[in-house]
């Protein structure tokens, strides 16, 4: 399948915008051109032409930390502190989940992702086969992450490794080594995961320093911060990522920079759970790579990267007392390029020849997108899901003008998920 997009504004990797178009051949971007015609017009024979009407084509968002199937807990466990939220609501309800639940609730999340311009998610959740099947069946990219906890029993690390062996290196479905957090794992699990990471040269991901309590209790248990503990155990020898990274010290930041550990920030969830504000500008200045994610619908409660970008910028300005801090360009890079790299999607982060055709079209005729004083800043500061006109994943349009193309009627996906809610009374 060959698709030509014409009469578009193209967002370049340096955040500049040019007038032109691009051609997609199968799953790849075949050419990007300025003006009305591509340089190889004779070779760019296409099956379908889309007139963008002057709207913006840009790389899709990648949600670098989420728990997709937690859509079933949306607005169910609100207005509680994190530890109570986890122990009295989330963990007890999650214990009731089965494979069908996770499949249906993940598909519901994928509809929300696509409608808001997201084509890939870094998903940490149980029942990975159900998550993988939901992604395959809808044409959505999923990179799954291990979520080992002591609660899993003696074979928790082995189960994680089995999933890694099954899904690693996939295109639509991939898998990264990981564990839930320091406070849900003893040293035995952490040391075993470090050994696997060393043997396979693989990066490791986990929740880290999300709350002051978590951070301080680790210091009480081990005499060092979570970051220092992970570095000492060798968990970071091959890179990886720290979800949240809110309560980090200067020494922690230096360790993250040294090991190339992504700070994967979830500002909306952190605010809602009163966990704090991650020092993103300070980390970026120290050389820590940054990515953005939404976290799950139980703690956000939305799955839109627009809100994460806006909050990432405005919270840093407030934190530093400097309105010039964290320009919109940074947040857009974190939500696209940074998140893609954090997930290992190195061929999905730009509108360039040879990159995967993971593309969204932003409707620049929306009232919130006018006037065009600065289109990038409009997207970050004024944008929301209603501005997304089209979402293409791997060269296939999966959402356009309110209609989904995911192999199943969208309303049926919603109704089937809703029908399962009686299991969680």
């Amino acid at each position: 399948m060959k698709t030509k997009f014409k009469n578009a504004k193209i967002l370049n990797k340096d955040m500049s915008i040019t007038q032109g178009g691009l051609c997609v051949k199968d799953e790849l971007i075949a050419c990007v051109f300025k003006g009305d015609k591509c340089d190889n017009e004779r070779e760019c024979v296409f099956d379908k032409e889309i007139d963008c009407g002057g709207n913006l084509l840009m790389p899709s968002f990648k949600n670098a930390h989420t728990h997709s199937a937690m859509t079933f807990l949306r607005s169910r466990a609100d207005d509680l502190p994190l530890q109570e939220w986890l122990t009295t609501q989330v963990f007890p309800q999650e214990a009731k989940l089965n494979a069908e639940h996770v499949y249906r609730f993940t598909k519901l999340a994928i509809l929300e992702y696509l409608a808001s311009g997201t084509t890939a998610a870094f998903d940490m959740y149980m029942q990975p086969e159900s998550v993988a099947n939901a992604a395959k069946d809808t044409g959505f990219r999923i990179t799954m992450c291990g979520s080992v906890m002591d609660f899993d029993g003696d074979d928790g690390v082995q189960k994680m490794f089995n999933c890694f062996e099954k899904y690693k290196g996939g295109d639509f479905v991939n898998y990264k080594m990981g564990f839930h957090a320091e406070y849900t794992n003893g040293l035995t699990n952490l040391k075993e995961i470090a050994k696997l990471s060393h043997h396979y040269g693989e990066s490791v991901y986990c929740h880290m320093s999300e709350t002051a309590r978590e951070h301080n209790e680790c210091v009480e248990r081990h005499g060092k911060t979570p970051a220092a503990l992970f570095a000492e155990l060798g968990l970071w020898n091959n890179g990886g990522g720290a979800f949240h990274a809110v309560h980090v010290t200067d020494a922690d930041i230096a360790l993250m920079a040294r090991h190339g550990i992504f700070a994967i920030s979830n500002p909306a969830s952190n605010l809602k759970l009163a966990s704090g504000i991650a020092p993103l500008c300070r980390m970026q200045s120290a050389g820590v790579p940054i990515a953005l994610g939404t976290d799950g619908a139980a703690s956000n409660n939305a799955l839109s990267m627009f809100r994460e970008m806006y909050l990432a910028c405005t919270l840093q300005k407030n934190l530093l007392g400097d309105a010039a801090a964290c320009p919109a360009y940074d947040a857009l890079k974190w939500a696209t390029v940074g998140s893609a790299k954090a997930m290992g999607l190195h061929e999905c982060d730009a509108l360039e020849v040879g990159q995967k055709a993971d593309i969204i079209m932003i409707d620049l005729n929306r009232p919130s997108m006018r006037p065009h004083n600065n289109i990038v800043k409009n997207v970050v500061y004024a944008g929301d899901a209603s501005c997304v006109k089209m979402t293409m994943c791997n060269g296939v349009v999966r959402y356009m003008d309110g209609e989904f193309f995911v192999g199943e009627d969208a309303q049926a996906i919603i109704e089937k998920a809703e029908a399962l809610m009686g299991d969680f009374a």
Side-chain angles (χ1 to χ4, degrees):
M1 181 70 177
K2 298 179 182 178
T3 305
K4 179 180 179 180
F5 294 90
K6 67 176 185 179
N7 189 21
K9 290 180 175 61
I10 305 289
L11 180 68
N12 302 306
K13 204 167 188 178
D14 64 0
M15 295 291 120
S16 66
I17 292 175
T18 54
Q19 186 72 33
L22 58 81
C23 297
V24 172
K25 181 179 179 182
D26 299 325
E27 76 279 10
L28 299 177
I29 296 174
C31 71
V32 181
F33 57 89
K34 295 180 181 180
D36 298 328
K37 296 181 179 181
C38 62
D39 296 334
N40 298 314
E41 189 74 14
R42 291 182 180 179
E43 296 182 17
C44 283
V45 179
F46 47 87
D47 305 299
K48 183 178 182 181
E49 182 177 272
I50 296 176
D51 188 332
C52 298
N55 289 316
L56 178 69
L57 294 180
M58 59 174 278
S60 61
F61 301 118
K62 285 80 182 176
N63 188 338
H65 178 57
T66 187
H67 314 282
S68 297
M70 287 184 85
T71 48
F72 86 106
L73 285 173
R74 194 196 314 264
S75 303
R76 173 68 181 264
D78 293 334
D79 307 322
L80 295 170
L82 177 62
Q83 292 301 321
E84 184 179 351
W85 175 82
L86 279 172
T87 58
T88 68
Q89 291 290 332
V90 175
F91 289 160
Q93 293 297 333
E94 286 182 329
K96 303 174 185 177
L97 287 169
N98 60 33
E100 183 186 3
H101 292 138
V102 172
Y103 176 78
R104 294 296 176 192
F105 296 138
T106 299
K107 290 185 79 171
L108 178 62
I110 288 171
L111 293 183
E112 189 173 357
Y113 294 141
L114 292 171
S116 57
T118 295
T119 62
F122 201 174
D123 196 274
M124 176 189 271
Y125 216 56
M126 58 194 76
Q127 302 284 353
E129 186 170 354
S130 294
V131 175
N133 288 338
K136 291 175 184 176
D137 291 348
T138 55
F140 183 80
R141 292 191 199 281
I142 283 279
T143 296
M144 296 182 290
C145 177
S147 58
V148 177
M149 296 188 284
D150 281 345
F151 304 150
D152 299 330
D154 294 339
D155 61 346
V157 175
Q158 184 61 49
K159 288 180 179 177
M160 184 272 289
F161 175 70
N162 292 343
C163 288
F164 169 74
E165 283 283 277
K166 181 176 182 179
Y167 295 111
K168 66 179 179 180
D171 186 11
F172 264 84
V173 178
N174 196 3
Y175 196 95
K176 297 290 186 181
M177 291 186 180
F179 57 97
H180 180 262
E182 176 275 330
Y183 64 91
T184 51
N185 284 278
L187 290 178
T188 298
N189 278 354
L190 300 183
K191 289 177 180 178
E192 288 185 24
I193 294 168
K195 288 179 182 178
L196 289 171
S197 170
H198 298 168
H199 182 75
Y200 289 91
E202 285 290 325
S203 51
V204 178
Y205 301 78
C206 69
H207 297 96
M208 189 194 84
S209 296
E210 181 176 359
T211 67
R213 174 179 171 179
E214 170 204 336
H215 184 91
N216 294 336
E217 287 183 352
C218 179
V219 174
E220 291 175 8
R221 275 188 293 272
H222 302 290
K224 50 184 68 68
T225 67
L229 177 65
F230 300 158
E232 180 181 275
L233 293 174
L235 285 160
W236 284 357
N237 285 8
N238 295 297
F243 304 128
H244 302 292
V246 175
H247 297 275
V248 286
T249 66
D250 288 344
D252 293 339
I253 292 171
L255 282 171
M256 293 173 71
R258 189 178 311 140
H259 291 279
I261 302 301
F262 277 84
I264 302 173
S265 184
N266 319 109
S269 175
N270 294 155
L271 276 183
K272 186 166 175 285
L273 291 172
S275 299
I277 302 170
L280 300 182
C281 289
R282 187 153 56 94
M283 287 193 279
Q284 180 168 256
S285 295
V288 176
I290 310 292
L292 295 179
T294 61
D295 212 352
S299 65
N300 189 311
N301 294 5
L303 300 176
S304 171
M305 294 294 285
F306 286 97
R307 183 159 69 175
E308 305 308 318
M309 291 191 297
Y310 178 85
L311 288 173
C313 279
T314 55
L315 288 172
Q316 293 306 300
K317 296 175 189 300
N318 185 270
L319 185 67
L320 298 171
D322 180 5
C326 195
Y329 301 99
D330 283 358
L332 192 56
K333 287 178 182 177
W334 296 342
T336 54
V337 179
S339 289
K341 291 186 181 304
M343 299 165 66
L345 301 176
H346 300 291
E347 298 177 343
C348 301
D349 64 355
L351 301 189
E352 296 177 350
V353 174
Q355 287 272 314
K356 295 293 178 69
D358 287 13
I359 304 167
I360 61 175
M361 185 190 304
I362 301 294
D363 187 350
L364 296 181
N365 290 310
R366 299 287 299 180
S368 59
M369 294 292 103
R370 291 286 186 164
H372 296 162
N373 292 322
N374 187 303
I375 291 174
V376 168
K377 292 183 180 181
N378 278 356
V379 170
V380 173
Y381 293 137
D384 57 32
S386 71
C387 300
V388 177
K389 187 173 178 65
M390 182 210 73
T391 302
M392 170 181 273
C393 183
N394 211 49
V396 179
V397 173
R398 294 298 179 184
Y399 172 84
M400 192 161 190
D401 292 330
E403 188 174 359
F404 293 90
F405 306 95
V406 291
E408 183 179 1
D409 179 70
Q411 189 59 38
I413 291 174
I414 293 168
E415 289 175 359
K416 288 175 183 178
E418 190 71 40
L420 295 175
M421 286 307 298
D423 298 342
F424 303 93

